Each structure stands twice: as C-alpha cells, then as structure tokens.
Amino acid sequence: MWEVGCVRQDVRCPDVRPTELDLVELDGEWYLAAVATDMNITGECAFMVFNHKNMNTTDVSISWITNNTASYYNGSVALTVGRNGGDLLLVTYIDKKTETYSVLAVDYEHYAVIFACYDDPSGNGSTYELWKLTRAPHLKRTDAVQLDRAVANYSLQNTSFMFFNNSERSCKLNGGYLNQASLVLTSATALALFRRLY
C-alpha cells in the first residue's frame, strides 16, 4: 500500500513547451504507471478514464483499487490556452478543486506525461505533480523510454514516484472486475442527480 505526495523543489517551475491537444484522442482508459501528486491515491491498481462530451469538455474519473475495493475522484476537463500558447487541461473536480495540467508528451495510442506546477508566491521554489500514463496495464519498454525522456527534458528525472502494479489480480474488485467504460457514465449520472437535488 502506497500513498503519494507532491514534489517540492527549490527552483521555479520550468517553462513548458506548448502542446496542441485533441480531447477526442485522449478519450478512453489510461493506466497510471507512476505518479507524484498530493492526491490521496492508495493501492496497487490505478487508472483514469476520459470521456469526451462535446467540443471542448470531457469527463475524467481517477480510480484506484485497494483490497479489491475501488475509490474514485471525478471531475470535468476543459481545454484552455497556456501563457506560452498551446493547450492546457483545466480539471475541475467534484469537490470544486481545480488543477491546470500541461502535457509534456503524448502518443494517444501509447503514453502521456501530465504535469502541474505552482511557483511559491514567496519566490522560494515550487511544488509540482507529475503523472505517467499508459494505455496498456503494464509499461512497455519503448513507452518507458519516451516517458523518461519527456520527464528529463524538464529536469524532473529525480522525481520520487509511486508505481502501480496494474495486474489483473490487483485490479480485481469484490464480485468481479471494474468496467471502466461505464464508470464515467455512472459518475456523471450521480453528479447530475446530486445537482438536481440541491
């Protein structure tokens, strides 16, 4: 059982090169190969599902499995333009927390590196999150090289990551396996019902 923490560094956030993103291509499930985040993710199996809704918005559900029980953190994603140009992922979670992520590298069929960084207002360093995602449950060697290269391009190679097993056994739930495709739809329905009641 692991719990991840975001990373504190004694330098300002790196300037990220602009990336043009395609929300439709981002759709589907992505396994978390490794993360460094302050999000309370524990477990051996973790993944996220993007579900494109319309021109500029997508639902996202981050899931992790501990002792054959799933936990979720859901939100919506919109594209926004970064200060250097290019696209950023603006994620608003159901608890109203927002994060702005840059994509350091993406191959929509294989891998993605997602990064958020915030400079300390006092000018004494920064705090960042880093997510290595893959389409396959197990990290392929060729994808690992590309992920590591993207991280090293921004001098983040010394990041302490939490790694996930993502085996069939660790991703098994009590009573079966998680149907990730229906997860976002169920979450969206629950959110719509909640909004209607309040």
Side-chain angles (χ1 to χ4, degrees):
M1 204 74 70
W2 298 89
E3 188 167 326
V4 222
C6 60
V7 181
R8 170 98 178 115
Q9 59 182 354
D10 294 328
V11 296
R12 296 185 62 76
C13 294
D15 280 331
V16 175
R17 286 184 294 283
T19 302
E20 295 290 324
L21 296 174
D22 184 336
L23 282 179
V24 174
E25 291 294 320
L26 204 57
D27 254 12
E29 65 188 34
W30 293 86
Y31 289 89
L32 276 61
V35 297
T37 179
D38 61 353
M39 198 175 292
N40 187 22
I41 299 175
T42 58
E44 292 184 3
C45 177
F47 50 89
M48 62 176 51
V49 177
F50 289 96
N51 182 25
H52 186 68
K53 292 171 56 174
N54 60 41
M55 186 69 165
N56 196 34
T57 61
T58 295
D59 285 333
V60 64
S61 183
I62 302 167
S63 308
W64 56 97
I65 299 174
T66 306
N67 297 326
N68 304 102
T69 303
S71 298
Y72 312 99
Y73 194 47
N74 302 319
S76 63
V77 180
L79 284 181
T80 186
V81 178
R83 62 184 166 103
N84 296 335
D87 295 326
L88 299 174
L89 298 173
L90 178 62
V91 180
T92 304
Y93 294 104
I94 59 171
D95 62 1
K96 303 300 180 204
K97 177 183 176 187
T98 61
E99 296 283 354
T100 303
Y101 296 99
S102 299
V103 177
L104 302 184
V106 64
D107 175 327
Y108 295 107
E109 294 181 14
H110 298 282
Y111 62 84
V113 180
I114 299 176
F115 175 70
C117 190
Y118 302 98
D119 287 321
D120 188 318
S122 68
N124 297 325
S126 59
T127 305
Y128 69 89
E129 295 184 17
L130 197 53
W131 301 65
K132 292 182 177 182
L133 310 176
T134 63
R135 288 290 190 178
H138 301 287
L139 185 60
K140 297 176 185 175
R141 183 181 308 265
T142 54
D143 294 344
V145 168
Q146 296 301 323
L147 292 169
D148 290 344
R149 183 175 296 143
V151 168
N153 284 342
Y154 293 96
S155 301
L156 302 169
Q157 65 271 17
N158 294 326
T159 301
S160 295
F161 286 101
M162 175 182 170
F163 297 91
F164 296 94
N165 182 349
N166 294 329
S167 68
E168 186 174 319
R169 182 173 174 225
S170 67
C171 293
K172 185 176 182 178
L173 292 173
N174 288 329
Y177 294 92
L178 184 61
N179 180 347
Q180 294 129 336
S182 66
L183 174 66
V184 171
L185 295 175
T186 303
S187 301
T189 303
L191 183 59
L193 179 61
F194 178 78
R195 285 182 179 158
R196 185 175 292 179
L197 293 174
Y198 294 95

